[in-house]
């Protein structure tokens, strides 16, 4: 990772250096995963897929996947250990296998940053009914990385479906933005429920993930509830 590239890009976009550095690591992890047999059994989804595949302006902090094949947890752990060992700034802080989720937490400690951060990797083992059109091989790209991994990714329509569910069940500020952004992109009208958190918390949480030209989005969005 070139520190000057990360710092300059963060200034240009108007987000924290941490978010740009996180994205470079995310692309590295996806690139390494795409080279393994594991890539044939998982589908990339969620907010990070929206950004790295479909061009969402929102930065995202997790790597989320759905499992579409058989995955052995011990093999997953070996693969992740091998990937992490390639970069001295990475460390597996936690990893476990539950009934419906395989989870890993990757700690990142970069010398040029004043703080460390983490990236969550979650593989959902829930049994979904998929159609052939729900996912396909897509290229991943980011302005902060020269890597362009190719991996199975949810279709925009499938992400939209799951994001609308998340909006009802979780209702995080990022769910509101993602549904709004996909709705605008697809020309779909959405009935948004009122957020369960206060206005200032809503604005603060989403603004840290948005570029400077969208810093007014949350305040403008909230006007519908006033």
């Amino acid at each position: 990772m070139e520190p000057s590239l990360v710092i300059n890009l963060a200034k240009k976009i108007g987000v924290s250096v941490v978010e740009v550095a996180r994205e470079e690591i995310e692309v590295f992890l996806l690139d390494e995963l795409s080279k393994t047999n594991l890539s044939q059994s998982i589908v990339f989804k969620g907010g990070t897929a929206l950004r790295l595949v479909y061009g969402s302006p929102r930065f995202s902090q997790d790597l989320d996947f759905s499992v579409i094949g058989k995955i052995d947890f011990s093999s997953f752990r070996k693969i992740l250990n091998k990937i992490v060992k390639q970069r001295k700034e990475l460390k597996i802080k936690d990893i476990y296998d539950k009934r419906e989720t395989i989870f890993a937490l990757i700690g990142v400690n970069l010398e040029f940053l004043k703080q460390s951060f983490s990236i969550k990797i979650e593989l959902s083992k829930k049994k979904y009914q998929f159609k052939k059109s729900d996912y396909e091989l897509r290229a991943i790209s980011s302005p902060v990385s020269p890597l362009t991994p190719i991996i199975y990714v949810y279709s925009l329509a499938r992400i939209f479906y799951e994001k609308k569910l998340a909006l009802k069940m979780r209702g995080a500020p990022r769910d509101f933005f993602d549904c709004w952004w996909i709705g605008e992109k697809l020309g779909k009208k959405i009935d948004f429920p009122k957020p369960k958190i206060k206005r200032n918390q809503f604005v603060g949480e989403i603004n840290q993930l948005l570029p400077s030209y969208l810093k007014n989005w949350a305040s403008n969005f909230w006007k519908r509830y006033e």
Side-chain angles (χ1 to χ4, degrees):
M1 178 184 294
E2 178 58 47
S4 61
L5 172 64
V6 174
I7 293 169
N8 291 336
L9 186 58
K11 288 180 179 178
K12 181 180 178 181
I13 296 174
V15 296
S16 165
V17 175
V18 170
E19 298 308 325
V20 178
R22 187 195 311 275
E23 183 161 295
E24 191 276 335
I25 300 294
E26 287 172 343
V27 176
F28 164 76
L29 293 171
L30 288 165
D31 187 60
E32 291 301 317
L33 285 171
S34 74
K35 300 172 185 175
T36 70
N37 292 334
L38 179 66
S39 66
Q40 301 302 305
S41 300
I42 57 175
V43 180
F44 189 33
K45 64 178 183 177
T48 312
L50 277 180
R51 174 163 174 80
L52 299 180
V53 178
Y54 297 104
S56 169
R58 180 180 79 81
F59 282 76
S60 186
Q61 300 173 332
D62 310 319
L63 296 177
D64 294 313
F65 302 87
S66 280
V67 175
I68 57 172
K70 293 183 178 180
I71 290 183
D72 178 69
F73 177 66
S74 61
S75 297
F76 171 74
R77 184 165 48 193
K78 288 177 183 177
I79 287 171
L80 206 56
N81 271 313
K82 187 176 180 180
I83 292 173
V84 166
K85 286 179 179 178
Q86 294 182 49
R87 296 182 61 158
K88 63 179 182 180
E89 62 265 33
L90 304 183
K91 180 182 180 181
I92 297 178
K93 297 176 68 175
D94 195 10
I95 185 168
Y96 58 77
D97 182 15
K98 286 192 173 180
R99 186 169 64 89
E100 293 188 332
T101 306
I102 293 176
F103 173 90
L105 186 66
I106 309 298
V108 184
N109 189 4
L110 298 165
E111 292 181 359
F112 69 93
L113 290 180
K114 296 180 180 179
Q115 65 183 94
S116 59
F117 59 89
S118 299
I119 297 173
K120 288 191 296 183
I121 299 177
E122 288 190 305
L123 281 62
S124 172
K125 295 187 289 183
K126 292 180 180 178
K127 301 299 182 183
Y128 295 107
Q129 295 297 319
F130 289 115
K131 296 180 292 185
K132 288 184 178 180
S133 59
D134 281 339
Y135 61 91
E136 62 181 343
L137 284 172
R138 296 290 299 263
I140 288 163
S141 64
S142 165
V144 76
S145 174
L147 302 173
T148 55
I150 295 175
I151 196 166
Y152 283 118
V153 182
Y154 266 175
S155 66
L156 192 57
R158 179 72 196 196
I159 294 178
F160 192 33
Y161 168 77
E162 292 204 353
K163 276 292 177 180
K164 286 189 291 184
L165 290 179
L167 187 64
K168 292 179 181 179
M169 299 175 65
R170 179 176 61 192
R174 63 185 184 273
D175 298 322
F176 281 85
F177 180 84
D178 290 347
C179 283
W180 172 83
W181 184 81
I182 301 173
E184 290 292 306
K185 195 171 180 70
L186 297 180
K188 302 286 188 179
K189 186 175 176 61
I190 305 168
D191 247 350
F192 287 99
K194 185 174 182 179
K196 297 177 182 179
I197 60 177
K198 293 183 178 179
R199 179 187 181 280
N200 288 346
Q201 184 182 352
F202 182 92
V203 172
E205 282 189 22
I206 193 60
N207 272 358
Q208 68 175 333
L209 301 174
L210 295 178
S212 55
Y213 73 90
L214 280 172
K215 294 298 186 187
N216 291 328
W217 177 84
S219 297
N220 291 333
F221 181 83
W222 196 272
K223 288 178 181 178
R224 68 184 65 198
Y225 304 111
E226 294 175 343

